[in-house]
């Protein structure tokens, strides 16, 4: 106890250095601490202490932000406030920090520093007596000091005047009224200065006023200014009672706890945010949710994690394009010209875009179509989507779905989770800023599935025209209209797309390019693009069409043009080196100058002599790449036309296969040896191909006598008696499956059993039945293009696939012979030179005619 009967604070106090506010005696303030020294004070003193004394700390205003804490202690303010820590709350979001609720007790002066680490500990001198904050109001100020008594009376009357101008139903105003009735008048400067709207600098002046008279003189102008401001506000604003109530609530007083300046700024921010919410022109349901969250935001202190979460949610709702859209460019002629300039071929895709534009001209409220481009890699599915957006004059956004295995990537996370965020659809709309963009859902066939849900199932709502007008993201939790978005999905195959999702999309096949189309694409787009990327000009490098055809046929084998573009880039890099060096070091017969070549007159030095003399002579421009130069740059050809070379023995046939990368040719080889009639299959075959092989063997054994396929060694009608058959599909490291190899296996085994060679210029594809019928298969265009690239002259197809030939380019149909077969007898006759002889079969059944 103090000699005068007051309570003494400890003479040694740990100091909390704060930069965000000023604690005055008699007030309660919430501080957020995150610096090293302050964190150590909380953890070692407040959290480990067990007595009331351990909760008393000194709060000292700091001129430097403690977040930029360093080893050197900054210059400390001379006077601080001793306070008791009423509440301590820790949090790890967004970074580790503590929030302290501290009630001010009295002033102190720092006498000396005892230590600086791990927290500041100082010897202090108490300046105020704590008993003055507990003395009844009737004791008041001593009557001996007339001036001080007069100041106290003026201050009390001004406080009553301010209270009369405020709405007592507001909690902070009601508390102000209770304090006026209960506290002694000499404590009013500190309490009132902490409650009215004042700056930290003004609070610091009140804190530094040690004498009571000076304290009244510092605080009275602040109180008078607040009263004058309210009077002026009431005169200039003729507001309704509700608006006046809001003004009274917001302007004169802030909440008791917290930093007044920050809270005033927060009030301004929420006001601006409310105006943005109302100006966003969002639907009624979304506006109702936003206003409810905004009302909740106003009640939250900024130090709470929920404040940042709610603020981020409202910012997102404001930024979403609820009613912002771009105007479509509906000029069909201009659109056709733009599409033709950007892409060669792709007639089906261009026609579909022009159809959409034509319908949009006739009907303005058309829902956005949902297209799916299916084709091998490198054929331009993604780039044509970008061109469609440019044609329509819309914003473009690409969403890569390859490997996505969490439905939250599509629908977003619920806001109850830490780190929640909206899905990619809503984020994309926020990025483009309009509600009718072109969304490209890339690699939709490579979606995964995990314990976090099935993203393909989440896409069902996005890609359903009957549902996406009210798409609900888990983060937003309100409906958003996606009906005006043009969705374009890309895939390499439809086999891995769930049927329910595939049913919602309009599938457009994008087959591979023919060699002629690749040559045209190379000279229209690829070569100019690579020249620009490598700093070359057409006056420096010239690649003739013959060279381009050589690159396509002998150095690449693909459905698209990606490898072709890389090869052209390699040529450009090689030429760029020679141009940069300034002299031709490639063989003189590989870099041929364009134009006539003049012979050197006698007496002049040759190029080789010039090089020996170390004279730099730049190469003739443009540098023309011929076949020899191409070999020097790209190396030996990677692919050779080996089809005819493989047909040197019986038991070899050429089939056609479809892969997600395009069509491919596939050899089938068979051999026989002495054994017990077993069939061996190799080449990583799937169950369907194994069944096709067994079907082929069964059909040949059943028709062995018809086609004279007897086993001459055993004079047996069964070609398998005493013989084992080994059927092999080369490229054993590649898994193969599907029914398309049925007629190829029959032709291969028929060649083996008959000892005759299958035509080397024939490729075939088709499924078989046990009765010898040929059934249709898919991927005809890709398979025919693969046969054309391999130099095949004749293709055998199922008769029911004849309609698919109309999709082939005219030059392909003109250069290839097509045989459409309905049964295996027609296949064998077309696969062997001179046909495949058979004995006279049973007489045909008589034709029955109706008597009706």
């Amino acid at each position: 106890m103090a000699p005068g009967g007051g309570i003494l604070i400890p003479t040694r106090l740990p100091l909390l250095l704060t930069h965000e506010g000023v604690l005055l005696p008699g007030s309660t303030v919430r501080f957020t601490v995150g610096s090293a020294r302050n964190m150590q004070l909380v953890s070692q003193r407040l959290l480990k202490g067990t007595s009331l004394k351990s909760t008393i700390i000194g709060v000292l205003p700091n001129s430097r932000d403690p977040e930029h804490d360093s080893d050197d202690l900054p210059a400390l303010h001379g006077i601080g406030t001793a306070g008791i820590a009423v509440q301590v709350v820790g949090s790890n979001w967004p970074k580790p920090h503590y929030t302290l609720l501290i009630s001010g007790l009295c002033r102190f002066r720092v006498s000396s520093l005892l230590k600086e680490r791990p927290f500041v500990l100082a010897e202090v001198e108490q300046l105020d007596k704590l008993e003055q904050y507990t003395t009844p109001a009737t004791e008041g100020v001593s009557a001996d000091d007339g001036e001080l008594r007069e100041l106290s009376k003026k201050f009390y009357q001004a406080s009553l005047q301010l209270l009369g101008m405020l709405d007592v139903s507001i909690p902070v105003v009601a508390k102000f009224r209770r304090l006026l009735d209960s506290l002694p008048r000499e404590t009013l400067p500190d309490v009132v200065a902490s409650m009215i709207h004042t700056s930290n600098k003004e609070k610091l002046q009140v804190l530094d006023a040690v004498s009571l008279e000076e304290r009244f003189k510092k605080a009275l102008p602040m109180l008078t200014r607040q009263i004058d401001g309210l009077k002026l506000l009431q005169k200039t604003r003729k507001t309704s009672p509700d608006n006046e109530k809001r003004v009274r609530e917001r302007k004169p007083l802030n909440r008791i706890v917290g930093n007044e300046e920050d809270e005033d700024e927060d009030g301004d921010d929420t006001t601006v945010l409310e105006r943005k919410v109302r100006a966003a022109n969002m639907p009624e349901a979304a506006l109702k949710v936003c206003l409810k969250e905004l009302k909740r935001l106003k009640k939250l202190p900024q130090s709470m994690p929920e404040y940042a979460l709610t603020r981020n949610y409202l910012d997102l709702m404001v930024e979403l394009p609820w009613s912002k859209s771009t105007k479509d460019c509906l000029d069909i002629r201009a659109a056709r010209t733009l599409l033709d300039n950007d892409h060669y071929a792709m007639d089906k895709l261009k026609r579909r875009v022009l159809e959409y534009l034509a319908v949009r001209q006739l009907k303005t409220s058309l829902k956005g179509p949902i297209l799916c481009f299916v084709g091998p890699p490198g054929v331009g599915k993604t780039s044509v989507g970008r061109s469609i957006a440019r044609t329509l004059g819309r914003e473009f956004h690409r969403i890569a779905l390859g490997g996505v295995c969490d439905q939250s990537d599509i629908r977003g996370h619920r806001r109850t989770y830490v780190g929640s965020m909206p899905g990619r659809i809503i984020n994309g709309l926020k990025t483009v800023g309009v509600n009718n963009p072109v969304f490209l859902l890339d690699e939709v066939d490579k979606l995964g599935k995990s314990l976090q849900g099935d993203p393909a199932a989440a896409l069902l709502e996005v890609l359903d025209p009957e549902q996406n007008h009210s798409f609900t993201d888990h983060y937003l939790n309100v409906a958003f209209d996606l009906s005006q978005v043009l969705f374009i999905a890309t895939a390499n195959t439809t086999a891995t797309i769930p049927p329910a999702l595939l049913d919602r999309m309009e599938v457009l096949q994008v087959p591979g390019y023919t060699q002629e189309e690749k040559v045209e694409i190379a000279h229209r787009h690829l070569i100019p693009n690579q020249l620009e990327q490598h700093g070359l000009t057409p006056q420096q490098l010239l690649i003739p069409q013959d060279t381009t055809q050589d690159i396509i046929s002998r150095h690449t084998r693909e459905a698209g043009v990606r490898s072709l573009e890389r090869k052209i880039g390699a040529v450009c890099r090689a030429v760029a080196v020679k141009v940069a060096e300034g002299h031709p070091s490639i063989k003189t017969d590989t870099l041929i100058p364009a134009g006539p070549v003049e012979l050197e007159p006698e007496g002049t030095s040759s190029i080789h002599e010039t090089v020996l003399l170390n004279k730099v002579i730049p190469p003739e421009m443009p540098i023309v790449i011929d076949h020899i130069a191409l070999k020097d740059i790209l190396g030996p050809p990677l692919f050779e036309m080996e089809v005819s070379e493989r047909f040197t023995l019986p038991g070899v046939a050429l089939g056609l296969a479809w892969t997600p990368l395009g069509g491919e040719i596939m050899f089938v080889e068979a051999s026989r040896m002495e054994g017990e009639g077993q069939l061996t299959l190799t080449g990583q075959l799937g169950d369907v191909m194994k069944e096709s092989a067994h079907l082929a063997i069964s059909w040949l054994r059943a028709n062995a006598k018809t086609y004279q396929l007897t086993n001459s060694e055993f004079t047996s009608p069964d070609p398998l008696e005493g013989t084992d058959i080994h059927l092999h599909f080369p490229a054993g490291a590649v898994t193969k499956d599907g029914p398309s190899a049925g007629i190829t296996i029959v032709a291969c085994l028929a060649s083996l059993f008959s000892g005759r060679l299958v035509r080397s210029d024939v490729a075939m594809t088709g499924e078989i039945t046990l009765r010898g019928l040929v059934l249709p298969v898919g991927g005809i265009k890709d398979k025919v293009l693969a046969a054309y690239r391999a130099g095949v002259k004749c293709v055998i197809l199922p008769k029911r696939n004849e309609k698919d030939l109309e999709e082939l380019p005219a030059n392909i149909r003109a250069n290839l012979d097509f045989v459409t077969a309905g049964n295996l007898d027609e296949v064998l006759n077309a696969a062997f030179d001179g046909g495949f002889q058979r004995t006279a079969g049973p007489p045909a059944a008589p034709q029955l005619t109706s008597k009706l």
Side-chain angles (χ1 to χ4, degrees):
M1 297 291 290
I7 302 175
L8 288 176
I9 62 171
T11 57
R12 294 186 173 187
L13 277 183
L15 300 184
L16 181 75
L17 308 182
T18 176
H19 182 72
E20 61 181 11
V22 177
L23 177 68
L24 294 173
S27 65
T28 303
V29 179
R30 194 182 301 272
F31 294 100
T32 300
V33 298
S35 63
R37 286 189 175 93
N38 291 342
M39 294 281 283
Q40 289 292 332
L41 185 150
V42 175
S43 60
Q44 296 188 18
R45 178 69 178 243
L46 297 181
L47 297 182
K48 292 184 179 180
T50 57
S51 62
L52 179 64
K53 181 180 178 181
S54 64
T55 62
I56 299 177
I57 60 176
V59 179
L60 205 63
N62 187 9
S63 59
R64 190 171 69 188
D65 190 351
E67 294 298 324
H68 303 94
D69 199 9
S70 61
D71 293 335
D72 298 332
L73 192 67
L76 301 179
H77 196 74
I79 297 177
T81 303
I84 182 168
V86 180
Q87 185 184 64
V88 179
V89 178
S91 176
N92 287 320
W93 189 92
K95 60 181 180 179
H97 67 276
Y98 289 105
T99 301
L100 308 181
L101 186 63
I102 302 177
S103 293
L105 298 177
C106 64
R107 288 173 176 80
F108 67 83
R109 178 180 283 111
V110 178
S111 302
S112 61
L113 290 179
L114 300 180
K115 66 175 182 177
E116 298 182 6
R117 293 287 180 181
F119 54 84
V120 181
L121 184 66
E123 187 86 25
V124 299
E125 175 189 356
Q126 182 174 340
L127 299 179
D128 297 332
K129 294 181 179 180
L130 290 176
E131 60 188 10
Q132 70 181 5
Y133 294 100
T134 57
T135 303
T138 54
E139 295 186 9
V141 180
S142 174
D144 298 337
D145 194 342
E147 184 179 1
L148 181 60
R149 186 179 185 85
E150 186 67 23
L151 284 173
S152 173
K153 183 178 180 181
K154 285 184 178 180
F155 197 91
Y156 181 72
Q157 291 176 350
S159 301
L160 289 177
Q161 183 181 0
L162 177 64
L163 184 63
M165 302 173 69
L166 301 176
D167 188 356
V168 188
S169 63
I170 301 174
V172 67
V173 179
K175 183 172 183 178
F176 184 34
R177 180 177 181 177
R178 291 195 302 271
L179 291 176
L180 280 179
D181 295 338
S182 60
L183 288 178
R185 294 183 183 179
E186 57 264 32
T187 64
L188 290 181
D190 290 332
V191 176
V192 173
S194 65
M195 298 183 69
I196 64 176
H197 178 54
T198 54
S199 65
N200 283 342
K201 184 177 180 180
E202 290 174 324
K203 289 189 179 74
L204 206 58
Q205 293 176 359
V206 176
L207 178 66
D208 292 341
V210 177
S211 68
L212 192 57
E213 182 179 353
E214 183 182 2
R215 204 176 305 160
F216 273 114
K217 290 180 179 180
K218 293 288 186 183
L220 186 58
M222 304 177 192
L223 183 58
T224 305
R225 185 185 64 205
Q226 192 75 49
I227 295 173
D228 294 340
L230 275 178
K231 289 180 179 179
L232 181 63
L233 187 65
Q234 291 176 353
K235 290 180 180 179
T236 56
R237 282 192 176 182
K238 296 181 179 180
T239 59
S240 64
D242 292 339
N243 289 337
E244 187 176 359
K245 178 180 178 181
R246 276 202 302 271
V247 172
R248 288 177 176 178
E249 178 181 355
R250 184 176 68 252
K251 288 294 182 182
L253 293 177
N254 292 290
R255 288 170 289 198
I256 286 183
V257 295
N259 189 333
E260 285 81 357
E261 284 188 350
D262 291 344
E263 288 168 355
D264 186 66
E265 292 174 2
D266 176 43
D268 294 340
D269 288 345
T270 54
T271 304
V272 174
L273 186 59
E274 183 175 359
R275 287 200 300 266
K276 290 181 179 179
V277 167
R278 296 186 182 277
N281 199 15
M282 60 182 68
E284 187 65 29
L287 179 62
K288 185 177 179 181
V289 171
C290 284
L291 293 178
K292 181 179 178 181
E293 292 294 328
L294 190 62
K295 184 178 179 181
R296 179 170 172 266
L297 180 70
K298 293 178 180 179
K299 298 179 182 179
L300 292 173
Q302 290 190 11
S303 58
M304 294 188 68
E306 288 83 358
Y307 181 91
L309 293 176
T310 307
R311 181 60 189 261
N312 291 340
Y313 174 76
L314 291 173
D315 287 339
L316 175 65
M317 294 288 282
V318 168
E319 293 175 8
L320 284 178
W322 298 96
S323 58
K324 298 177 183 178
S325 60
T326 55
K327 186 177 180 181
D328 286 348
C329 177
L330 301 178
D331 189 346
I332 296 181
R333 292 184 179 178
R336 180 183 285 110
T337 302
L338 185 60
L339 288 174
D340 289 339
N341 290 338
D342 285 351
H343 293 275
Y344 184 75
M346 293 190 173
D347 296 331
K348 186 182 295 185
L349 270 62
K350 295 177 184 177
R351 185 169 61 250
R352 182 63 182 87
V353 176
L354 297 178
E355 290 171 355
Y356 173 73
L357 289 178
V359 177
R360 280 283 284 113
Q361 283 187 359
L362 303 177
K363 183 176 175 60
T364 57
S365 60
L366 179 66
K367 293 182 179 179
I370 298 172
L371 309 177
C372 181
F373 299 160
V374 179
V379 296
K381 299 184 296 296
T382 301
S383 60
V384 79
R386 187 175 288 106
S387 294
I388 290 174
R390 198 154 62 94
T391 301
L392 297 174
R394 294 190 179 189
E395 297 292 333
F396 177 80
H397 185 71
R398 174 179 170 271
I399 300 177
L401 296 179
V404 173
C405 56
D406 187 353
Q407 70 163 349
S408 298
D409 279 351
I410 308 298
R411 281 208 184 107
H413 305 84
R414 299 191 185 277
R415 285 190 292 135
T416 54
Y417 297 110
V418 176
S420 59
M421 60 180 65
R424 297 193 182 190
I425 303 296
I426 296 298
N427 260 333
L429 290 168
K430 173 188 171 184
T431 302
V432 298
V434 292
N435 61 5
N436 63 338
V438 174
F439 268 14
L440 184 76
L441 306 178
D442 217 0
E443 310 294 352
V444 74
D445 59 326
K446 297 174 180 61
L447 286 169
K449 184 188 295 186
S450 66
L451 296 176
Q452 284 74 34
D454 186 2
L459 278 176
L460 294 178
E461 182 183 4
V462 177
L463 300 181
D464 192 339
E466 301 300 325
Q467 299 181 32
N468 63 9
H469 64 277
S470 59
F471 170 70
T472 303
D473 186 275
H474 286 164
Y475 185 84
L476 293 186
N477 206 26
V478 293
F480 194 96
D481 186 7
L482 300 179
S483 61
Q484 298 304 314
V485 179
L486 173 56
F487 287 103
I488 299 177
T490 67
N492 297 131
T493 176
T494 58
T496 56
I497 302 178
L501 181 60
L502 188 63
D503 181 63
R504 284 164 166 78
M505 299 185 291
E506 179 183 347
V507 178
L508 298 177
Q509 294 291 337
V510 187
Y513 297 115
T514 64
Q515 182 168 334
E516 289 75 12
E517 290 173 342
K518 288 183 180 180
V519 171
E520 196 67 30
I521 291 171
H523 286 271
R524 286 192 183 189
H525 303 287
L526 302 184
I527 294 178
N529 185 35
Q530 289 297 318
L531 288 177
E532 182 181 357
Q533 289 186 11
H534 293 86
L536 298 174
T537 63
Q539 289 73 32
Q540 294 174 320
L541 173 61
L542 178 61
I543 302 178
Q545 288 199 0
D546 292 343
T547 305
T548 307
Q549 290 179 353
D550 200 10
I551 298 175
I552 294 171
S553 61
R554 306 185 69 188
H555 292 272
T556 64
R557 184 166 289 178
E558 57 174 349
V561 292
R562 282 192 182 140
S563 294
L564 175 60
E565 187 173 15
R566 285 192 287 267
K567 298 299 181 183
I568 294 174
V571 173
C572 292
R573 289 192 297 272
V575 173
V577 171
K578 306 312 168 188
V579 172
E581 287 179 349
H583 61 85
S585 61
I586 297 181
K587 299 177 183 179
T588 57
D589 58 346
T590 62
L591 297 182
I592 304 174
V597 179
E598 298 181 0
L599 297 177
E600 297 178 0
E602 291 184 79
T604 60
S605 60
S606 65
I607 293 179
H608 300 286
E609 292 173 346
T610 305
V611 174
L612 292 175
L613 292 175
N614 295 324
K615 294 181 180 179
V616 177
I617 298 178
E620 295 288 340
M621 297 296 173
I623 298 175
V624 182
I625 305 297
D626 67 350
H627 299 287
I628 302 176
L630 189 65
K631 183 177 179 181
D632 290 339
I633 296 173
L634 299 183
L638 300 178
F639 304 98
E640 296 289 348
M641 297 303 178
E642 58 173 356
V643 174
S644 60
E645 300 173 2
R646 299 282 288 265
F647 289 86
T648 57
L649 293 174
V652 179
L654 182 63
L656 298 174
W658 181 90
T659 70
L661 305 179
E664 293 289 342
I665 61 172
M666 178 179 61
F667 287 94
V668 181
E669 300 176 349
S671 64
R672 63 195 302 178
M673 68 285 298
E674 293 184 4
E676 301 176 355
Q678 295 182 351
L679 175 64
T680 303
L681 300 172
T682 56
Q684 282 209 54
L685 308 183
D687 292 337
V688 178
M689 288 192 73
K690 292 178 181 178
E691 292 175 357
S692 296
H694 287 287
L695 277 173
I697 286 288
S698 299
W699 185 84
L700 287 172
R701 293 177 68 182
N703 295 273
K705 185 178 293 186
T706 304
Y707 292 98
Q708 301 177 2
L709 301 177
T710 58
N711 193 332
S712 58
E713 295 183 8
F714 294 91
T715 64
S716 171
D718 186 358
L720 286 184
E721 185 171 341
T723 303
D724 286 346
I725 301 297
H726 187 166
L727 199 62
H728 177 63
F729 291 76
V734 180
T735 304
K736 310 170 189 68
D737 200 7
S740 300
I743 65 173
T744 311
I745 299 173
V746 170
C748 175
L749 293 175
S751 170
L752 179 68
F753 294 152
S754 65
R756 300 177 58 190
L757 295 177
V758 178
R759 289 172 54 187
S760 61
D761 61 345
V762 171
M764 59 196 78
T765 180
E767 184 181 1
I768 62 172
T769 68
L770 197 58
R771 295 183 298 153
L773 299 179
V774 179
L775 301 183
V777 292
I780 293 297
K781 183 175 181 180
D782 289 322
K783 294 177 181 179
V784 172
L785 292 179
Y788 182 73
R789 289 195 298 266
V792 172
K793 302 300 182 183
C794 179
V795 178
I796 303 175
L797 302 172
K799 195 173 189 62
R800 288 164 60 182
N801 282 120
E802 190 172 2
K803 61 182 185 301
D804 297 320
L805 299 179
E806 297 178 0
E807 298 181 2
L808 296 175
N811 64 312
I812 300 292
R813 294 200 301 267
N815 293 330
L816 288 180
D817 293 331
F818 295 98
V819 177
T820 56
N823 53 60
L824 287 175
D825 185 62
E826 298 175 1
V827 171
L828 295 178
N829 286 328
F832 292 87
D833 285 324
F836 204 78
Q837 296 181 356
R838 54 177 290 173
T839 60
Q847 184 72 25
L848 298 179
T849 57
S850 174
K851 301 297 184 181
L852 298 179

